[in-house]
Every structure is written in C-alpha cells, then in structure tokens.
Amino acid sequence: MTQRSAFYRSILLLTSILSRAQAQSPPPTAAIPDIVLHGTIEPQKLGTHEILEVTVPPGIERMNVTLESPGFSKGMYLTVGLFDPQRYRGEGRAIFTLSTVDATGPYIAGPILPGQWKIAIGFNWVAPEAHGVYTLRIHLSRQLDPETYPVLNPHAAWYKGDLHAHTGRTDAMCRSQSGKNVPCPPFRLFEAAARQGLDFLAVTDHNTQAHFDEMRQDQVFFDKLLLIAAEEVTTVKGHANVWGTEGFLDYRAAETGFTINDLFDQAHRLGALVSINHAYWPFDGRCPGCGWGWSPITDFAKVDAIEIVNGYHEKGSWFQPPPGNGIPFWEAQLARGLRPTGVGGGDEHRAGEQLSRHDGVGIPTTMVYARELSQPAILEGIRAGHVYIRVTGPDGPEILLHAGPAIMGDAITVPSGSTQEFTAEASATPEGHIRLLVDGHPVEAPSPNPRKTSLPWRSDGLRHWIRAELLDSAGEPLALTNPIYVNWPPDPRPPTIVQKAP
Ligand SMILES: [Zn+2]
Ligand SMILES: [Zn+2]
C-alpha cells in the first residue's frame, strides 16, 4: 500500500468514526477526539495542493488547527488552506484558531458549519532532496471559549488593570485623522491601556462580542497586556460586566420568565464572573438603564463583584460622582453576609483621549493578586477578593491590609474575647491618612506613622468585616481595600466556577 492510499484510508476511517460518533449522539460536554492526518512531503509535490477532507459534526463552536512539518530550514514549507462546506475561510498559517466570533491570522471567523470541510495543503516549497512527513491536527470544541489561555507572566504578583472599557464597536468615540468624532478602533483602546502600563484590560462592549476577533488577533502584539474577553450586559434595568466568556449572554432579562438571576446563572455556566456596574447611578432617564433597577428581584448571592468606583467622569457627563460612591450599595450586601468583591472600572469611552483629570483607561485601576498573569488567574483573584483599588490610576498609591497571613478577601475566625491585630500599610501618603473601618464604620486607630496603621481588635465572636482606605486631605479615597472577613459564613457561590468542562 502506498503512503498516499494509507493516507486516504485514514480519512475514510476518520469519516466513519465521526459518523458513528454522530449516530450515537454523545453528550454535549464529551470531548471530541482530535482529527489527526498524516501525509508525505516529496519533491514532486512542489507547487501543488493536496486536498484533504474531514467531516465536522454539528454543534462545534471552535476549531484549533496545527500543521507540523520539518519546516523551511529542512527545505519544506507548507501552508493550510481551509474551505468549509460553503465558503473559503483563509490560507497561510500552520497554527491557528477560528470560531464563531474570532480567528487568528488570515482565517475568517464565523460558524463552524457541520459537514465536509476541505483542507488544501500547499506545498509552497520542497527542496530537490527534501523528504518528510506532515501531521495535521484538528481539535474541535463544542465550547466557544478557548480551552487554553495565554500566560503573559508566570509569577504570582499584584497585577494592575481595568475591568471596564469600551471600543468603537459600541459607543466609544475618538478623533479621526481629520479631527472628526468617530467610533474608535479597538486597537486605540489597547494602545491607551498599554501606555498606562496596565497588566490586564477587560474589554466590555455593550451586548456584543464583536470586539473579540480583534482582541484575539492583537493579543500577540500586546504581549504584556492581557486582554480579557468580556461584555457589559446592558439590560433595560441595569448594566453588569461579565468577565471571561465568549458564549452568548441574553441581555433581555425581565421581571418574570428569564430574569437577571437566570442571566447570572447563564454567565456562571459559561465559566465567567458577573459584576454589577455603577449601581449607584440614578435609575432615571438621564442615562437609561444605567442604575440598578433589578434590586428587588436580584439574588445577590450570585453576584461575584460590585463596581464601587466608576471612572466615567467625562466633561459634560450627567454624572460627577465622587470616588467611592458605590460603597453603600456594596456594603449593603456585605451587611447581609454576602461577599461580592469591590472593584473599580474605568468605563473608558475615549480610548485614552484625556478630557478631564478623571478620564482615561485605568482610572480607577483595580489591583488583583493572582498566581500568574492569565485570564483564569485574574478571575480567580477577583473571585477571592484579593483586590484593592487605586482610585487615581495605575500610579496611585498602594494600600495593603493584613491580619497575620490573611489578606483582603480572606476569611478568618476570631473567637469571642480574643484579640486580632489588623494592619494597613500604604506606599505613600503625601497629605492623607489611612482609615480602618469595621462593618463600614470608621474606627480610631491612632498611629505615629501615616503610612502604617494597626488596630488591635477584640472579637465578640460575631460576623464582621474590616477594610481600609487611604484618604486624601479632602477626605476622598485615594485607594481602598476589600475586607478581611471575620467569622463569616461559608461562601454561598460555587467554588470553582472558572473551571470549564473538557
Ligand atoms: Zn454601563
Ligand atoms: Zn460601560
């Protein structure tokens, strides 16, 4: 049997395996075996295409393709052209992904149609004496989200980022070449975030994933700025950021039927976190749907985070909220024994074009302690509450709170009658001071050192939360921490929602 006939037999075998798999209707979460095809590389194939055929089953959201071959240095240069049952999808790379909403390189995002796909292996160069074998590996996934994520930094650290930003795919504007106000290309936002020195940026356009394709393409260039796939789900009665999913999120929440709680469940099933945005804005016609109008029916146990500082302070805006305005809404949930993480969101709509001192990407900056700089690790850090906010931006002062080895976000047990010391330290206090709060109420903790304050706190055995703020001379927060939770009930949220099905 020649290698070529063996090769075609493998295609037939593969087709029959896939047909059997379809007939048996595997459960939707079952992993699909990779399609692996081999072929020979020979000088007589130079300047030709070898057409392979594979059967793609229904229900596929993403395709990852890898072509392994000896490579140009060994005298062999091959490309992969891709044709779905209806149209051409791109040619030219050896490693790429394509899905319903994004793709890399020259490949075109769009539905992964079931049926016969044709793959054209292009023998662009085969040196006269070159002989080898290529392997084409196709990984099919029923989930839209990638199963692996880039790690931009492998070290545990405090990472700085912005969890709320818009591009011209929805309502962000910036000046065109001739100075007109036009929808702003996503690349401009990424550049602005990079200029700010941010480590991560969640791009949260309204009710769309239209920005995901450019994010996927540009992540290679922004190899120090993690772009987090996100969406600001913009309902008729409030806005919620969803970080870490590419699946469809139904923004049509209503009082009955599919409610806001069902939307939160939908996001969690897709491996994402949800955060209520700028909830303190008035629920009136000035910014339709911007305040949180779902409070009476919201199951706040499903809420992972609350945006307590929003940076939307453009000149002429309807809103000029002082920093920290979201705190009462957040603390109302803490008082109920819940523990949504307090976060900041720049809500940038100008790609960093400075219009006022508050405007810009990363104002405020959310600092997250994470085991590495990757999307899953940042989400884990947010979920754990290992977060503080630099209100004035990425270069603003640091503030850290600890009680022994516990840091903000952690829960500790302090039995009745015993004393636990809480210490807050700031990197710089040019004119301000540190304030500690127990259950939202400031407590006196006089300290000779304006950069460090300790509170010996005597427990009554009941549930409390202790957090810290660094205030400027006018009493406005420059930085604020999440609480350390004392004698707190177990976290009601599912423990590992950022883990995905295989
Ligand atoms: Zn909003
Ligand atoms: Zn927004």
Side-chain angles (χ1 to χ4, degrees):
M1 184 187 299
T2 64
Q3 293 211 16
R4 180 177 281 252
S5 63
F7 165 72
Y8 283 110
R9 201 180 65 137
S10 72
I11 294 177
L12 290 173
L13 183 65
L14 176 85
T15 305
S16 97
I17 289 170
L18 287 173
S19 305
R20 274 207 307 277
Q22 276 171 244
Q24 291 166 1
S25 299
T29 55
I32 302 161
D34 285 356
I35 298 171
V36 183
L37 303 172
H38 306 283
T40 60
I41 308 170
E42 301 154 20
Q44 61 267 35
K45 292 187 179 178
L46 173 62
T48 68
H49 288 102
E50 193 158 75
I51 309 299
L52 316 181
E53 287 195 20
V54 296
T55 302
V56 173
I60 301 300
E61 297 278 3
R62 182 175 291 281
M63 175 183 282
N64 294 323
V65 180
T66 306
L67 176 71
E68 296 162 12
S69 72
F72 192 66
S73 64
K74 302 268 174 59
M76 291 164 264
Y77 178 63
L78 277 57
T79 60
V80 181
L82 204 57
F83 297 77
D84 73 18
Q86 293 180 3
R87 63 172 179 153
Y88 171 59
R89 298 292 288 266
E91 186 268 350
R93 294 275 173 92
I95 301 175
F96 56 92
T97 186
L98 73 164
S99 79
T100 308
V101 296
D102 63 46
T104 49
Y107 300 92
I108 300 167
I112 308 299
L113 299 175
Q116 294 296 114
W117 286 53
K118 290 192 171 60
I119 296 154
I121 303 292
F123 293 88
N124 289 34
W125 174 241
V126 184
E129 302 302 319
H131 290 273
V133 174
Y134 69 82
T135 300
L136 183 75
R137 194 177 300 277
I138 302 174
H139 179 71
L140 300 174
S141 175
R142 291 190 180 88
Q143 70 180 43
L144 189 53
D145 298 41
E147 293 165 11
T148 57
Y149 294 89
V151 178
L152 274 56
N153 185 331
H155 302 295
W158 283 99
Y159 289 106
K160 52 186 166 186
D162 194 335
L163 292 167
H164 189 165
H166 297 276
T167 78
R169 290 305 184 100
T170 56
D171 53 351
M173 307 292 278
C174 57
R175 292 185 194 89
S176 70
Q177 281 187 299
S178 63
K180 297 192 192 83
N181 213 26
V182 297
C184 203
F187 187 80
R188 295 297 300 273
L189 173 70
F190 309 158
E191 282 184 321
R195 277 199 303 276
Q196 289 280 63
L198 298 185
D199 299 308
F200 63 89
L201 175 72
V203 186
T204 56
D205 272 329
H206 299 279
N207 290 347
T208 187
Q209 298 148 2
H211 50 294
F212 286 3
D213 190 43
E214 189 158 350
M215 281 176 55
R216 182 82 55 212
Q217 297 276 11
D218 292 357
Q219 182 68 82
V220 182
F221 176 80
F222 291 99
D223 54 1
K224 291 161 68 176
L225 172 68
L226 179 72
L227 298 172
I228 295 178
E231 186 177 326
E232 184 172 16
V233 181
T234 305
T235 76
V236 290
K237 286 192 175 185
H239 300 182
N241 273 344
V242 176
W243 303 305
T245 188
E246 301 195 352
F248 171 66
L249 297 159
D250 196 342
Y251 61 92
R252 299 167 295 178
E255 293 284 344
T256 57
F258 186 88
T259 69
I260 194 70
N261 301 317
D262 296 316
L263 171 64
F264 294 158
D265 287 342
Q266 188 181 42
H268 289 153
R269 279 197 302 274
L270 293 167
L273 299 185
V274 298
S275 171
I276 294 177
N277 295 346
H278 44 67
Y280 49 94
W281 284 358
F283 188 72
D284 61 23
R286 290 178 295 171
C287 178
C290 291
W292 191 252
W294 299 115
S295 282
I297 63 165
T298 300
D299 179 355
F300 283 95
K302 297 179 189 291
V303 176
D304 301 291
I306 289 175
E307 188 180 71
I308 59 176
V309 186
N310 178 280
Y312 193 53
H313 292 255
E314 289 188 46
K315 276 180 187 163
S317 162
W318 306 292
F319 307 103
Q320 299 291 335
N325 248 6
I327 288 176
F329 185 90
W330 175 50
E331 288 193 325
Q333 307 314 320
L334 302 180
R336 297 172 58 211
L338 302 174
R339 48 195 287 189
T341 301
V343 299
D347 210 353
E348 177 63 13
H349 282 73
R350 298 289 321 182
E353 287 181 356
Q354 297 286 322
L355 298 182
S356 75
R357 82 180 174 89
H358 291 293
D359 197 48
V361 189
I363 304 175
T365 288
T366 301
M367 303 293 299
V368 179
Y369 190 78
R371 58 182 164 80
E372 63 184 20
L373 182 56
S374 70
Q375 181 171 301
I378 293 294
L379 297 188
E380 285 168 21
I382 294 169
R383 175 68 201 290
H386 296 156
V387 170
Y388 74 92
I389 299 167
R390 292 180 173 177
V391 175
T392 56
D395 299 324
E398 170 187 85
I399 186 168
L400 299 175
L401 174 67
H402 62 91
I407 66 165
M408 47 272 231
D410 291 340
I412 59 174
T413 300
V414 186
S416 179
S418 56
T419 298
Q420 173 69 53
E421 187 162 84
F422 292 83
T423 300
E425 292 181 75
S427 61
T429 52
E431 48 190 15
H433 63 282
I434 291 173
R435 177 167 78 172
L436 286 166
L437 302 98
V438 177
D439 303 333
H441 305 294
V443 292
E444 282 295 316
S447 169
N449 181 353
R451 295 169 63 165
K452 183 172 181 178
T453 298
S454 289
L455 172 70
W457 179 80
R458 190 174 170 81
S459 175
D460 58 6
L462 302 177
R463 186 183 79 209
H464 297 282
W465 78 88
I466 288 116
R467 63 182 185 85
E469 296 176 339
L470 178 67
L471 305 177
D472 67 13
S473 56
E476 288 203 341
L478 291 166
L480 37 95
T481 75
N482 271 267
I484 291 176
Y485 300 94
V486 181
N487 300 329
W488 212 257
D491 192 332
R493 299 168 299 179
T496 55
I497 61 170
V498 296
Q499 299 297 321
K500 293 178 187 299

